[in-house]
Structure formats: structure tokens, C-alpha cells
Amino acid sequence: MEQLRIPGPTPCPNEVLQAMSRQMINHRGPQFGQILGDITAKLKQLFQTKADVFLLTGSGTGGLEAAIVNTLSPGDKVLSVSIGVFGERFGAIAEQFGAEVVPLRFEWGKAADADAVRQALKAEPKVKAVLVTHNETSTGVTNNLEAISSVVKEFDKLLLVDAISSLGSINLPVDDWHCDVVVTASQKGWMVPPGLAMVSVSQEAWQAHTKAKMPRFYWDFTKAKSYLEKGETPWTPAISVVFAFQVALDMMLKEGLPNIVARHARVGKAARNGIKSLGLSLFAEESHTSNTVTAVAASNGLDPKKMNKILREEHQVILSGGQQKLDGKIFRIGHLGWVTENDIKEVITKIKVVLPQAGFRSSR
Ligand SMILES: Cc1ncc(COP(=O)(O)O)c(C=O)c1O
């Protein structure tokens, strides 16, 4: 069987796939209402929140757009903390909708520095919201969101979080860390096909929402809330993915969130140790490596594109390359969702075989 080890879409367990072959149901009927209620309650447990949580049909980027357009007005200043491709995207969405974006960029491979966020907020008192990526999938770095959040809340700003590749895999207690809008997506750690974005909305975010003037229709949280109260979504949902999601959430709760987080920590460590044992180095700074994606620097003559091609064609292992300026410079192993240490050890074994064929010369 193919080993799909990209940072999403991730493999889905058979029970999850089978749930998708069910016949359609009326999305305005009681059966769907019961499923939506059940999913929403379970999501709140995994988001560790008492706030509203909405299931939106769309990809993660749709969820990021929802976070922006529901809380901000054109001309609002936002601080966009960026450590890679997805941090840049979050800021670009805000800019597209007319926000005045103050970028706070860190070198790719490094985490955001909470003290630099403090200095930026001191220098820009008019900032209304701070945009942060919890886990930067493009570089394999996990930000210290707890520390960043405590700075953001020192200044009483709104905190909008891209947790697309972390939530449900890496600990993120949404309420304890005072995150106002948190976004994730089904195809990541949730073991479900693409098609759903999930967002939490705090009381402070609702207050901002009442004043937010950015244009919105499909993503309007007011509509999402009023429909959820009647057990519906405003628009036709991706029903098959919703069926799959219900099954996956049951599996997740059976395993238990602390166990899931611990498993990802073990798997992440296995990936990092395995990579180092091959004489390769991590792209991410050691103190902030991600437990859901490992980015590996191409060194010693390694052509990562060639390596990924051989792995795909001859070993049925699918890895990711680098994005944008990291194209050809790194490769990435996704290890989130339905994954064990053994899966990753197997991947490492195959990489070891392929490395010399892809130009790598061991310096040992
Ligand atoms: C951190 C992060 N943000 C945003 C996205 C974009 O999500 P989507 O591709 O579901 O729109 C991704 C997906 O790769 C991601 O990993």
C-alpha cells in the first residue's frame, strides 16, 4: 500500500472511508441536525473550548478568510506574525480585504519570538488583531503560541490563529491560551478527507464581529450560528465528509486527546531521530520542531526532488518538497493523524535506501 506521508491530505482509516459511502440525507432534516450537534460537541472537547465552534464547508484557507472577514473592517491594522508560507498567506488574505497589515517576519526555519511581538505591539498601538500560525507546515516549526498569546493579551488584542496543521495533534487549549478565532481543517490531523474547515469563536471575537465591516456572505459567523441553533449549516454541507468526520471524532475521543498528543510527540521524535541518524539535518530550529511535519534540509549533494520521485515510483512512499523559496532546498515528511512510529520508521528505512541514488554523499 502507498505510504502517503505529506502534511495533508493524510491517510484515512477504513471505517472513516466506509462512512463516506452512505446514501445522502436531507441536510435540513433531523438526522443531519443530530449529527451536526454531535460533531460540534465533540469538536469543542478537542478544541478544549466552551466557545462556539462551527463546521464550514471549504478548505482551511476558507477558514482563515472567515477568521479575517468576521472580525475586521477595511482599514483596521493587523500584526501579521509570519514564519513561512502559511503565515504569509494569512497576512495576504487580510490585506486583500483591506486591512492595513503590519508584517512581523522571522527567518524561515525559526519560530516567532514573543518578545519581538511585544515590541511590535508597543510600536503599533492601533493594531486590532494579531495573526499567528501555530504550526508552520512549510518549515516544520511550531510556534510557542502560549507565550505569544500571553503577549497579545497583555495588549488586549484579538488573536486569530491558523492551527490548521496542529489542532487535534499538538496540544492547543483554545480557552486557556485565550485564542479568539482558531482555524483547522479536516484533511490534517483529523484523519478525514479534505472539505471541512472548523473554527472556534470567542466572546471577544463575537464583540469584534458586531463591528466588523469586511464584505462576507458565505463565511458569515452570524449565519453559521443562527443555522447551528436549528441543527443546520447555512449552505449545503459536504455531507459525505461530515459522515466521515463523525466516525473519525469517535476514534479520536476513544484514543483520548492526551494520548493523541503524546503519540504525535513520539512520532515526531522518531522522524527527527531517524533523519539525523541518516546524516541529514532538520530545517527547523531544534527548540521548535513540529510534531506533525518534519522539514529536512537538502545537504551533501542531495537532490530532494529526485529523492521524492524515486521514493514515489519505486517505494510507494509519498513525501512533500519545499514550497516557494524552499523549492528544491528541503523535503518534508508529514506525520499527523493516522500514523504510528512504525510507519515513520519504515519511511526512514526507505529514505536511507534512496539517498545515494539521489546524490547524497554521507560525510561520515
Ligand atoms: C498551516 C496551514 N495553513 C493553511 C493551510 C491551507 O489549508 P488548505 O489547503 O486546506 O486551504 C495549510 C495546508 O496545507 C496549512 O498547513
Side-chain angles (χ1 to χ4, degrees), residues 255 259 261-272 291 341:
E255 184 176 357
N259 294 331
V261 169
R263 174 168 54 83
H264 281 84
R266 285 195 307 275
V267 168
K269 196 169 174 192
R272 294 188 291 275
N291 284 334
E341 278 166 275

Side-chain angles (χ1 to χ4, degrees), residues 237-255:
I239 293 174
S240 305
V241 189
V242 172
F243 288 153
F245 201 19
Q246 197 181 23
V247 172
L249 286 173
D250 284 339
M251 291 176 73
M252 289 177 78
L253 288 173
K254 195 166 165 214
E255 184 176 357

Side-chain angles (χ1 to χ4, degrees), residues 174-187:
V174 167
D175 286 357
D176 285 355
W177 291 359
H178 307 286
C179 300
D180 293 304
V181 181
V182 179
V183 181
T184 182
S186 55
Q187 80 277 16

Side-chain angles (χ1 to χ4, degrees), residues 7 59-62 64 86 89 133 135-137 162 164-165 185 187-188:
S59 82
T61 306
L64 298 180
F86 294 106
R89 185 181 300 180
T133 318
N135 185 74
E136 180 50 76
T137 319
D162 173 347
I164 290 175
S165 61
Q187 80 277 16
K188 300 289 183 179

Side-chain angles (χ1 to χ4, degrees), residues 13 29 38 74 145 180 191 204 224 307 354 357 364:
D38 180 55
L145 184 60
D180 293 304
M191 309 184 290
E204 289 79 359
M307 186 196 81
V354 170
Q357 296 165 261
R364 293 166 178 196

